[in-house]
Amino acid sequence: MSGSRLTRRRAITLAGAGVAGVAGVAAGAGALLKGSHDPAAANDHPAGAVPFHGEHQAGIVTPAQDRLHFVAFDVITKDRARLVELLEEWTAAAARMTAGRDAGVLGAVGGMPEAPPDDTGEALGLPPSQLTLTIGFGPTLFRDADGRDRFGLADRRPAALAELPKFPGDALQPQLSGGDLCVQACANDPQVAVHAIRNLARLGMGVVSVRWSQLGFGRTSSTSREQATARNLFGFKDGTANLKAEDTDLLRDQLWVQPGDGPDWMAGGSYLVTRKIRMLVETWDRTSLAEQEEIVGRTKGSGAPLGRSDEFDEPDFAARGADGKPVIAEHAHVTLAHPSRNGGAQLLRRGYNFVDGSDGLGRLDAGLFFIAYQRDPRRQFVPIQTQLARHDVMNEYLRHVSSGVFACPPGVRDGGDHWGRGLFG
Amino acid sequence: MRTTQFFALAAAGVLATAGLAACSDSDKGDSAASGGPIVVKASDTACEVGSTDLGAGTATFKITNSGAKVTEFYVYADGDRVMGEVENIAPGLSRELHVELPAGTYQTACKPGMSGKGIRGALKVSGSAQPLTADAALGDATDNYQRYVKSQTAALLDKTEEFVAAVKAGDVAKSKALYPVARTYWERIEPVAEIFGDLDPKIDGREEVIEEGMEFTGFHRIEKDLWQSGDISKDGPIADRLLVDVKEIVAKANAEKLSPLQLANGAKELLDEVASGKITGEEDRYSHTDLWDFAANLEGSKAAVSALRPALQQRSPELVTQLDTEFANVEGLLGKHRDGDGWKLHTALSKAELKDLSDGINALAEPISKVAAAVAK
């Protein structure tokens, strides 16, 4: 449909449809993720559980849930065995929590009265809410800032896990960036996502320390054709041209690390780039509709590329208007990020909006917590972001304040497997 | 839906030594159930357990085999971990099993023919074992800590007297030097002090905890005047009041006998004090001498744990190892900030240094939070 007269109510309905869409494809996603597992655990309502075990980690091509709690940890122990033990404990807790159970074996109310419960309790009575927990390893786990091989892993570091270069205009805050480990928790209930991260952080006391964390809402990308495209806080549909779970061949080429790409332990995994992008929404909101659309390269209502009518129409970069100028500007966001300008590179985006209160200057502290998975950041995120950082007119309204890059290993196969087994084994 | 009940795992190294199978005429009834042993009627096809809802502590089962096969009796925790067992109960005989069971969910099993999974039944154990001081090691812990309180309160009284005298003499420099020292003895035994709820805020209340109609007095009021205005000329009555209150709490603290559980919880509370008040610099916001308090809280926590150590060593040796490691870690982290006989000011530490201390305290506080349960077992 042409969305030239999209009412607010209609937009809300669509957003609702996005959530319903999650339910619609859940079973399909289960089939994608389950590897050799039977689909008994697949869910037919939004409250269902996403299988934890499988060929790939859940939380990547899983239909994007509505809420995020993302955390980056520093490893503070020097003891490799203790770190591995924590990864085993985390895996067991993650398997339990994603199935809608308590973090610990005794549970929030099943232990001794004199002991602190082994689950924090705020998810008691809540359904699994499609919780997924996805782990990643940062470059500093392999060598710290001083170049020390901390855990004897340096020779296992994939070349693709390179620190990101500094992009023009970056305003990164070191304390909000990087991390030795990360865990992405996504769920359709924020309380479930927070509960998961809180319990993992607690299990990690003395071994890891929370470096930074981020809450997000209103997924800004769809990772499945079944989902309506959601909107970012600029009010535009975001992620129309995203990689989708259904694009099996593209996922092989663009998302999943293939055997021979690097060390074996990463085959079947994916590289994650996070960027916390503050949006200066107050100045954006004073920008005319025409200029907003010119900056993005899409119409605000339907999300169609300028000059086309449907959201999913391919942008026509050759089209000229009556004035002889390109219909889609050379420096429009859509142009700069398009695969045709980036050697065919695509990303699987999974970002979330954030509002962290306000900044004391009367402005919302809001923006996009950008999340992208890919086969090799050096050939995908880096060239795309280099283009955007140099030429994107949108930069006037953006500040990149945090950045992270992580190697997300393949899925946990079964109850005998654990996060990081391939890396530490 | 999330289930709230799981099989109890033996959290921290549960001790569950089955009392050796005793003959039927032996009388060892210290069962946690209402007097007498729990009667188990075992046959070749049944396993009737007289009571399946017990209080925590040592349970005594009396198993009578009315079957034709030799049988066994087990109490299992989750994953068929054996909490206690009696083997070789011949037809017609009775045997007893003594087993210490912390709160949790268990299974009982009779095994006629001494094979297979047996005839299972659910067993629920709730509450806590009492009285703890019956245990000699725990009794020693209480006495040991009482001696510690005695020595600390004596020093607290001495140093408070010196501090009060300096304040009343108008000697700002001397008062400033004595302030963190006197507080050290206070902070070490704070869990005891907090038992006396009305005195604690008078002695150690920060400005924001003073309720409507209550006067801001005590250490922190004098601290504010010493460091903020430098004028202590009107603090004589406040100093006198402080000494009266400290004397009262010293007398009360020495009359108080802390239970092992109070000790364990006190050790944890001291670390919570560090985590919530000292790391943030809220405690000594005018003088910034928070690290003196930090060190004292840590020492007090260690004293309580040390008092419990022999009992913990019996109950949960791996917890003791963990506590030793983490105490040493925090002591090392804090040691970097020594300054002569005292400590650097809170304001001299970078955010990264404070985060390291916070991580260290968290790493220690998690195992310390398990001490109470280990004691209660």
Side-chain angles (χ1 to χ4, degrees):
Chain A
M1 53 150 212
S2 163
S4 55
R5 293 296 309 272
L6 189 77
T7 62
R8 185 173 166 76
R9 179 179 297 278
R10 177 87 184 113
I12 291 169
T13 312
L14 273 182
V19 178
V22 170
V25 294
L32 254 179
L33 289 164
K34 71 180 180 353
S36 61
H37 285 256
D38 81 279
N43 12 285
D44 49 11
H45 60 96
V50 177
F52 177 73
H53 299 110
E55 184 187 356
H56 305 296
Q57 288 197 76
I60 301 174
V61 295
T62 306
Q65 304 91 325
D66 209 45
R67 302 287 185 150
L68 167 81
H69 192 183
F70 187 95
V71 62
F73 293 98
D74 288 327
V75 176
I76 57 175
T77 187
K78 293 187 174 66
D79 182 345
R80 177 180 160 134
R82 226 178 135 181
L83 177 56
V84 173
E85 191 184 357
L86 174 65
L87 290 169
E88 289 168 357
E89 284 175 22
W90 268 3
T91 308
R96 279 193 289 264
M97 291 190 290
T98 51
R101 296 180 10 230
D102 288 9
V105 179
L106 300 173
V109 293
M112 286 177 72
E114 295 85 355
D118 66 15
D119 179 279
T120 54
E122 71 270 32
L124 275 178
L126 295 176
S129 309
Q130 303 221 284
L131 173 69
T132 54
L133 293 165
T134 314
I135 197 167
F137 303 115
T140 47
L141 182 70
F142 298 83
R143 277 193 197 281
D144 65 13
D146 303 324
R148 269 190 304 255
D149 180 1
R150 305 162 68 187
F151 300 107
L153 298 172
D155 60 350
R156 316 198 91 180
R157 175 176 162 176
L161 185 66
E163 293 282 5
L164 299 175
K166 188 180 182 323
F167 299 101
D170 273 1
L172 303 181
Q173 298 170 23
Q175 72 278 14
L176 285 182
S177 299
D180 298 334
L181 297 171
C182 74
V183 179
Q184 169 197 279
C186 296
N188 287 324
D189 182 336
Q191 183 127 333
V192 170
V194 168
H195 167 263
I197 294 300
R198 179 177 165 194
N199 281 273
L200 294 180
R202 184 180 170 209
L203 282 169
M205 295 278 179
V207 184
V208 295
S209 166
V210 173
R211 182 177 175 87
W212 55 271
S213 76
Q214 183 64 49
L215 287 172
F217 63 90
R219 61 172 178 85
T220 62
S221 293
S222 41
T223 52
S224 163
R225 301 215 184 287
E226 301 285 333
Q227 291 182 295
T229 312
R231 291 178 185 272
N232 62 30
L233 293 182
F234 282 160
F236 277 77
K237 288 190 176 183
D238 199 340
T240 296
N242 205 18
L243 281 176
K244 300 287 201 292
E246 295 83 356
D247 306 332
T248 318
D249 291 353
L250 273 175
L251 297 187
R252 186 193 58 228
D253 295 342
Q254 303 269 351
L255 177 67
W256 303 122
V257 176
Q258 298 301 309
D261 281 2
D264 288 346
W265 68 267
M266 266 301 284
S270 191
Y271 292 94
L272 162 63
V273 170
T274 64
R275 307 280 288 183
K276 182 173 182 177
I277 306 169
R278 171 92 187 265
M279 288 174 163
L280 305 177
V281 295
E282 289 79 7
T283 48
W284 175 262
D285 296 341
R286 289 194 281 271
T287 307
S288 73
L289 178 61
E291 191 181 338
Q292 288 184 12
E293 291 185 336
E294 188 184 334
I295 288 169
V296 176
R298 292 184 178 275
T299 56
K300 199 167 186 176
S302 70
L306 294 181
R308 306 300 303 270
S309 58
D310 186 84
E311 181 194 345
F312 295 101
D313 289 344
E314 268 300 313
D316 181 357
F317 297 118
R320 293 283 183 271
D323 56 2
K325 289 183 178 160
V327 173
I328 302 176
E330 196 56 35
H331 287 169
H333 191 78
V334 158
T335 313
L336 295 167
H338 198 264
S340 62
R341 304 297 172 102
N342 294 288
Q346 286 180 265
L347 300 166
L348 186 130
R349 280 168 291 156
R350 234 178 172 281
Y352 288 84
N353 296 317
F354 71 85
V355 177
D356 295 348
S358 44
D359 68 356
L361 299 169
R363 307 181 302 177
L364 283 187
D365 185 351
L368 169 67
F369 188 74
F370 170 94
I371 292 175
Y373 287 92
Q374 64 234 280
R375 186 173 165 186
D376 189 341
R378 296 168 303 173
R379 297 206 305 263
Q380 291 165 274
F381 177 78
V382 172
I384 295 170
Q385 181 55 27
T386 303
Q387 285 260 36
L388 290 170
R390 282 186 188 144
H391 306 297
D392 194 356
V393 186
M394 199 186 277
N395 290 330
E396 191 182 328
Y397 305 95
L398 302 177
R399 296 285 180 276
H400 285 241
V401 295
S402 145
S403 176
V405 60
F406 302 95
C408 301
V412 176
R413 294 282 170 164
D414 51 42
D417 193 6
H418 66 82
W419 277 344
R421 191 173 57 97
L423 170 59
F424 286 88
Chain B
M1 296 295 281
R2 275 158 214 274
T3 43
T4 58
Q5 275 290 340
F6 282 102
F7 290 122
L9 245 206
V14 178
L15 283 195
T17 39
L20 287 174
C23 289
S24 58
D25 55 350
S26 84
D27 182 17
K28 290 188 181 168
D30 74 321
S31 167
S34 50
I38 299 151
V39 174
V40 179
K41 293 178 184 163
S43 69
D44 292 351
T45 52
C47 184
E48 287 176 33
V49 180
S51 170
T52 55
D53 196 343
L54 315 179
T58 303
T60 305
F61 295 89
K62 184 173 182 180
I63 306 100
T64 305
N65 184 5
S66 62
K69 296 176 181 173
V70 175
T71 193
E72 299 171 345
F73 181 73
Y74 286 78
V75 178
Y76 287 117
D78 188 40
D80 281 5
R81 223 174 62 86
V82 178
M83 301 298 289
E85 60 172 319
V86 190
E87 297 182 28
N88 196 27
I89 308 166
L93 277 188
S94 294
R95 301 209 118 169
E96 282 192 356
L97 166 68
H98 302 272
V99 57
E100 193 170 348
L101 296 173
T105 318
Y106 302 88
Q107 284 191 310
T108 51
C110 298
K111 289 194 187 175
M114 301 167 72
S115 63
K117 282 183 66 71
I119 304 160
R120 301 288 183 115
L123 180 70
K124 190 175 157 221
V125 178
S126 49
S128 323
Q130 293 292 351
L132 289 171
T133 41
D135 181 311
L138 290 172
D140 289 351
T142 304
D143 296 343
N144 175 299
Y145 189 74
Q146 211 174 9
R147 288 193 291 276
Y148 177 77
V149 169
K150 205 178 176 76
S151 70
Q152 297 303 310
T153 49
L156 171 65
L157 198 53
D158 284 354
K159 287 293 163 190
T160 306
E161 277 170 347
E162 282 181 49
F163 174 66
V164 162
V167 170
K168 291 179 77 174
D171 189 338
V172 171
K174 193 173 181 188
S175 303
K176 279 185 171 182
L178 283 165
Y179 168 82
V181 178
R183 289 183 53 75
T184 292
Y185 303 102
W186 166 265
E187 290 285 343
R188 280 182 187 154
I189 55 158
E190 200 158 4
V192 190
E194 283 179 346
I195 295 171
F196 316 107
D198 51 337
L199 279 169
D200 185 27
K202 286 186 196 169
I203 295 170
D204 191 38
R206 303 199 296 257
E207 196 163 8
E208 74 276 9
V209 306
I210 305 304
E211 287 180 36
E212 197 65 42
M214 232 182 102
E215 201 194 346
F216 178 32
T217 62
F219 277 118
H220 291 300
R221 167 62 195 272
I222 298 171
E223 177 203 10
K224 186 179 180 180
D225 293 341
L226 279 171
W227 271 274
Q228 211 165 56
S229 64
D231 178 11
I232 49 171
S233 59
K234 297 184 189 66
D235 286 357
I238 292 168
D240 285 338
R241 177 76 254 176
L242 174 66
L243 188 56
V244 169
D245 290 340
V246 165
K247 277 181 175 160
E248 190 183 346
I249 215 159
V250 165
K252 282 186 166 173
N254 281 306
E256 193 71 20
K257 207 173 166 115
L258 255 60
S259 74
L261 267 186
Q262 280 177 309
L263 269 187
N265 288 321
K268 181 188 94 66
E269 281 162 21
L270 278 163
L271 295 184
D272 292 346
E273 286 273 332
V274 174
S276 56
K278 276 66 174 193
I279 297 250
T280 57
E282 287 168 63
E283 179 79 25
D284 299 299
R285 64 192 60 172
Y286 315 107
S287 65
H288 306 302
T289 55
D290 305 84
L291 259 55
W292 269 265
D293 293 25
F294 183 132
N297 286 158
L298 190 65
E299 286 156 356
S301 183
K302 197 171 181 180
V305 170
S306 299
L308 291 165
R309 190 184 179 95
L312 285 177
Q313 195 71 56
Q314 293 169 8
R315 290 170 153 71
S316 189
E318 68 282 8
L319 183 60
V320 174
T321 309
Q322 212 183 346
L323 290 169
D324 287 348
T325 305
E326 299 302 346
F327 264 116
N329 179 48
V330 180
E331 285 162 357
L333 289 168
L334 184 62
K336 294 178 186 171
H337 307 297
R338 266 231 167 262
D339 183 15
D341 289 344
W343 300 95
K344 283 181 196 161
L345 296 183
H346 184 272
T347 43
L349 270 62
S350 70
K351 187 139 191 202
E353 286 170 327
L354 290 169
K355 183 166 187 280
D356 284 347
L357 288 172
S358 179
D359 287 343
I361 287 292
N362 283 335
L364 173 59
E366 279 293 321
I368 281 207
S369 73
K370 299 190 172 96
V371 171
V375 166
K377 275 199 307 238

